[in-house]
Structures are given as C-alpha cells and as structure tokens.
Amino acid sequence: MKRIKSFRRIGRHMELFTLSLPAAIYIFVMAYIPMFGVVVAFKNYKYDKGILGSEWVGFKNFEFLFKSETAFRITRNTVLYNIGYMALTTICALAVAILLNEIAKKWLKIYQTAMILPFFLSWVVMSYITLAFLDHQSGFMNGWLSAFGFEKIKWYFEPEYWPFILNAVHLWKAIGFSALVYYAGILGIDGELYEAARIDGAKRFQLVKHITLPQLTPLIVILLILSIGNMFRGDFGLHFFIPNNSGMIYPTTDIIDTYIYRALSEVGDISMASAVGLYQSFVGFVLVIAANFTVRKINEENSLF
C-alpha cells in the first residue's frame, strides 16, 4: 500500500522529479560511485597492481597523521579557524541581510553586486589582492603605518597577525553570498507579521528581534549544522595561497589540508591522502549527526532531519 502511494506521489509530481534528475545523476556519479575508492585508505596502493590488487595494510595509513609531531597544532588550527569563520560570517551576514532589507530598492542591486563579487574570485586572485595590502616594501598597510610614524611590519614573517588576517579575508569573500541567502529568507517572511507589529507600535529593532530573527532561526540552524560537518576540513585555498605558503607563519596558518598537501607532494603516497580524507569525512559525518541530534532535543522543528 505504501509503495502504491509512493508511485502515485511520483506521478503527481513528475515534472519536479524530472527537473531534479540531472542533479540526482550528478550526485550519484560524482559522490556515490567514487565511494568505492575509499578502500584505498586501507591499502598500500600501487599503480601497477590497481585498487583490488594492492596490499591490505589496515589502519597503518592513518598513523601518518596521528603520529605527526604537528598533529595537535594543525588539528587545533583547523577546528578553531572553522569555528571563527562560522561565527563571524553568520553574525555579519545576518546584520548585512537585515540592513539590505532596510535600504531603498533602487540601490539594492548595486549593493548585492558589490558584495557578492569577491565570492566568485579564486583564492589565487585573492592572494594577489592580499599581497597588495601586506607586501613589506610597497603594501598599502605598511604605507599607511609609515605615514602615521609607525614601523613597517613583515606580515609574512609574523605569525601572530594571521588569525585576524585570515578571518578578515574569509569574511570579505564569504559575506556576500551568505548575506544574500539570509536576505532571501527575510523576503520569505510574511509581511503581515511586520504590519501587525507596526500597528502595535513596534520599532525597527523590535521587529528584528521579535520577528526577523525568530523566523530565520530554522535557516540559520540548518546552515550551521551543514557547516559543522566541515569542521575538520579546512579551506585549502585560503590557508595555502593567502599566506603565500610562508614557513615562518605555519604555527598560525597551517591546517590539516595544507600539511597533508606539503607532506604528500614530497612522499606521493595516495593511500595516506585517502586515509586523511576518509578521516575528515567520517568526523564531519559524526559532527553533523551529533549537531542535528542536539538541535532535535532543543527544538525538533529546527532540525535538519
């Protein structure tokens, strides 16, 4: 009986299922079929023997990461940076989305275009823009410091500045897209709620506090749950290109992904790379399940599933 109802539901919404078919095929081909390659993480992969013929070594490939002298440092950096990116981007994007909802419509397209443009720039381009600001000899920042009588700073040799720099660069690139997502959520809020509140004498801040933010809570929670899944998977482009891979600032810029890239570019061991990728994916999966379970306990309506 349930199968019959399922087929009837598919028949009633055949157009929607047809539209989703290309995306479903893409996900199946690019995400599910390659999962067979996960077995490489447990083998000593040899090109001449292939995946099935290579020697089974169990969890030996995972020792590469966990026995590293810098394992704690790169894990700490990866987690703390992702927490900072999530918190800062969410707060700032919400604030920008609320402000976009208050400005005149004729200026809206200009602001939207200006904010989302950095999102489409590659990290290589962003690294040159950052270099224009931070170059020791001719960078804008050192030019301003010299103009005000301060000494120039060798940014690419001083690790203590980079937690702030990386958070600022990430925010600049990500805030436009995130703000538009939240702005779309604001547009979906029933306008009658605002009208009723204004009749009762509510001010703009009260409208935001009692209507906008509560209505956006499910969207915010869902995006945060999805972000938590990438807690152990850092942004390679951001942490490799923006610091120019400078060894002097590894203590505050190095993450799991950049460390593995440098190590494997010398060793060239595919099995080790697969093991680290599997480890990051597994931890991300556990974090998503745990975060969603926690949200369900607090408010089931805001959970992802």
Side-chain angles (χ1 to χ4, degrees):
M1 191 65 179
K2 291 183 179 180
R3 291 182 179 180
I4 295 176
K5 290 182 179 180
S6 298
F7 284 120
R8 288 178 179 175
R9 189 179 298 111
I10 294 175
R12 288 196 301 268
H13 304 286
M14 183 58 68
E15 295 84 358
L16 297 177
F17 280 104
T18 303
L19 289 173
S20 66
L21 190 60
I25 294 175
Y26 174 82
I27 293 175
F28 178 76
V29 173
M30 303 301 294
Y32 285 93
I33 293 180
M35 288 181 68
F36 169 73
V38 168
V39 71
V40 174
F42 303 95
K43 290 198 170 191
N44 183 18
Y45 180 75
K46 301 295 183 182
Y47 291 99
D48 56 338
K49 296 181 179 180
I51 296 178
L52 298 179
S54 298
E55 178 189 2
W56 181 273
V57 294
F59 291 95
K60 186 177 180 180
N61 291 320
F62 293 85
E63 297 177 1
F64 164 71
L65 176 64
F66 295 109
K67 289 188 175 181
S68 169
E69 296 179 355
T70 58
F72 172 76
R73 185 189 73 189
I74 60 178
T75 303
R76 177 203 63 194
N77 289 348
T78 304
V79 173
L80 292 181
Y81 272 118
N82 279 317
I83 292 175
Y85 297 154
M86 285 190 295
L88 192 61
T89 303
T90 301
I91 294 172
C92 294
L94 275 172
V96 171
I98 293 171
L99 293 174
L100 285 175
N101 195 43
E102 298 294 332
I103 65 176
K105 300 299 180 183
K106 64 178 181 180
W107 301 106
L108 187 60
K109 295 297 182 182
I110 297 176
Y111 287 112
Q112 288 178 335
T113 303
M115 286 191 306
I116 203 171
L117 181 60
F119 179 78
F120 295 103
L121 298 179
S122 70
W123 284 119
V124 177
V125 175
M126 296 289 286
S127 68
Y128 282 105
I129 296 174
T130 306
L131 182 63
F133 279 89
L134 303 181
D135 183 70
H136 176 62
Q137 298 297 332
S138 57
F140 293 141
M141 291 296 297
N142 280 336
W144 294 335
L145 290 173
S146 298
F148 286 100
F150 296 99
E151 293 184 2
K152 292 183 178 181
I153 299 175
K154 296 182 178 180
W155 301 99
Y156 291 95
F157 294 89
E158 303 290 341
E160 63 268 21
Y161 299 109
W162 281 91
F164 305 100
I165 295 172
L166 290 175
N167 274 280
V169 173
H170 179 272
L171 180 64
W172 179 36
K173 195 174 192 298
I175 190 173
F177 180 80
S178 298
L180 291 183
V181 171
Y182 290 125
Y183 179 68
I186 293 175
L187 294 180
I189 299 175
D190 190 354
E192 294 183 358
L193 296 175
Y194 292 105
E195 293 298 330
R198 290 191 183 97
I199 293 174
D200 291 335
K203 305 299 181 181
R204 288 188 175 180
F205 178 78
Q206 293 173 318
L207 294 176
V208 171
K209 180 180 179 181
H210 297 289
I211 296 178
T212 304
L213 292 180
Q215 292 292 317
L216 288 179
T217 298
L219 176 60
I220 297 171
V221 172
I222 289 173
L223 293 179
L224 285 177
I225 291 175
L226 295 176
S227 298
I228 288 173
N230 290 320
M231 187 75 72
F232 274 73
R233 191 178 298 277
D235 193 327
F236 174 81
L238 171 61
H239 287 264
F240 183 80
F241 292 108
I242 300 302
N244 276 346
N245 197 27
S246 174
M248 299 294 293
I249 55 178
Y250 282 164
T252 56
T253 62
D254 208 14
I255 58 174
I256 295 176
D257 300 74
T258 54
Y259 174 78
I260 298 304
Y261 170 78
R262 291 196 311 274
L264 297 182
S265 62
E266 300 175 1
V267 178
D269 194 323
I270 295 179
S271 299
M272 291 181 181
S274 300
V276 175
L278 178 59
Y279 162 70
Q280 291 176 304
S281 299
F282 177 76
V283 173
F285 171 76
V286 173
L287 289 175
V288 167
I289 297 298
N292 188 77
F293 177 78
T294 304
V295 172
R296 282 178 62 89
K297 288 295 184 181
I298 299 173
N299 190 339
E300 187 173 353
E301 293 182 357
N302 293 336
S303 62
L304 181 61
F305 50 86

